[in-house]
Amino acid sequence: QKEVEQNSGPLSVPEGAIASLNCTYSDRGSQSFFWYRQYSGKSPELIMSIYSNGDKEDGRFTAQLNKASQYVSLLIRDSQPSDSATYLCAVGLTGGGNKLTFGTGTQLKVEL
Amino acid sequence: DTGVSQDPRHKITKRGQNVTFRCDPISEHNRLYWYRQTLGQGPEFLTYFQNEAQLEKSRLLSDRFSAERPKGSFSTLEIQRTEQGDSAMYLCATTRGDYGYTFGSGTRLTVV
């Protein structure tokens, strides 16, 4: 079992729709959760962090965390073609020097 | 420009040669990480420093790999006797603490 699992996609959504990206993790000691966006050929860019159960909103992005289910998700509202990228879920253990374990990423395509 | 600088951006080397990459972190970030990313995969942890101390090395890091961070400032990653399997994007990331990383632009290594 992989430590952090994501559906590789591609996930295709029409412009203006809500994109829903999901991630599960195996280590119950995980304390910090991040979503990174990565455009082709570029390095990952942090877009959301979440540490507590529930929802966290930032602009068009909402991160959701459920530690009991070991599940974290990212919702992108009003999806734009510029949101087309690979979204990486990353999970960290407090006290582990914030070493992050990344999933393989979900490719999102926003279609006109 | 993320504030984390990596050099060079691209490196093509012949199998068996040694290569060295450099990372200059954001000045107030005391933690520095090296990750490796291959096509279609998420970044994989290699090693990390808190100030000048190298606190953890991945089992992925063979004896051919060595990293330093003298005086807790810039860091170098050296690969000796490169192999074709070393071809990847090498990413440097820094953080102040238990926060999300800021990645550099990466160094893309191609071993021919």
Side-chain angles (χ1 to χ4, degrees):
Chain A
Q1 181 187 8
K2 290 183 180 178
E3 294 180 63
V4 179
E5 294 207 46
Q6 297 181 255
N7 188 322
S8 61
L11 172 66
S12 293
V13 299
E15 184 178 6
I18 296 175
S20 177
L21 305 164
N22 304 314
C23 171
T24 58
Y25 60 95
S26 61
D27 192 328
R28 285 194 174 275
S30 301
Q31 296 290 332
S32 56
F33 306 86
F34 305 90
W35 284 98
Y36 287 83
R37 177 176 62 201
Q38 186 172 29
Y39 293 113
S40 180
K42 302 296 185 182
S43 62
E45 172 192 9
L46 179 66
I47 54 173
M48 289 290 289
S49 61
I50 188 165
Y51 303 92
S52 303
N53 281 329
D55 295 358
K56 179 181 178 182
E57 185 176 321
D58 184 1
R60 296 187 296 113
F61 300 99
T62 299
Q64 299 174 316
L65 175 61
N66 184 326
K67 289 186 179 179
S69 300
Q70 296 175 243
Y71 177 91
V72 57
S73 65
L74 179 70
L75 301 178
I76 306 175
R77 290 181 298 281
D78 188 24
S79 295
Q80 301 298 309
S82 59
D83 295 326
S84 298
T86 295
Y87 289 80
L88 297 163
C89 173
V91 175
L93 290 173
T94 299
N98 201 29
K99 179 182 70 176
L100 298 183
T101 300
F102 286 81
T104 55
T106 298
Q107 185 183 5
L108 173 67
K109 293 184 177 180
V110 180
E111 299 169 332
L112 295 171
Chain B
D1 182 11
T2 66
V4 179
S5 177
Q6 289 191 249
D7 184 69
R9 293 291 300 274
H10 303 276
K11 178 71 176 179
I12 300 174
T13 191
K14 291 185 178 179
R15 189 175 52 187
Q17 297 294 304
N18 298 344
V19 294
T20 299
F21 311 140
R22 176 176 170 129
C23 173
D24 286 272
I26 295 171
S27 58
E28 61 266 29
H29 286 190
N30 62 343
R31 290 183 180 171
L32 185 149
Y33 304 79
W34 286 98
Y35 279 76
R36 178 172 66 189
Q37 187 177 25
T38 54
L39 196 62
Q41 300 298 313
E44 293 178 301
F45 171 79
L46 294 178
T47 188
Y48 95 93
F49 295 83
Q50 181 155 325
N51 300 313
E52 68 275 11
Q54 187 174 20
L55 297 185
E56 187 173 345
K57 290 172 60 173
S58 166
R59 284 167 289 182
L60 292 174
L61 217 61
S62 76
D63 292 344
R64 297 184 296 106
F65 288 71
S66 62
E68 293 183 339
R69 192 182 182 196
K71 302 179 182 178
S73 56
F74 70 92
S75 177
T76 59
L77 177 68
E78 181 183 17
I79 309 174
Q80 296 182 327
R81 304 181 303 282
T82 52
E83 302 172 357
Q84 287 190 320
D86 297 331
S87 295
M89 174 80 87
Y90 289 83
L91 294 163
C92 175
T94 68
T95 183
R96 281 181 299 167
D98 202 13
Y99 303 107
Y101 298 161
T102 300
F103 280 95
S105 300
T107 294
R108 182 167 297 282
L109 174 66
T110 302
V111 181
V112 297

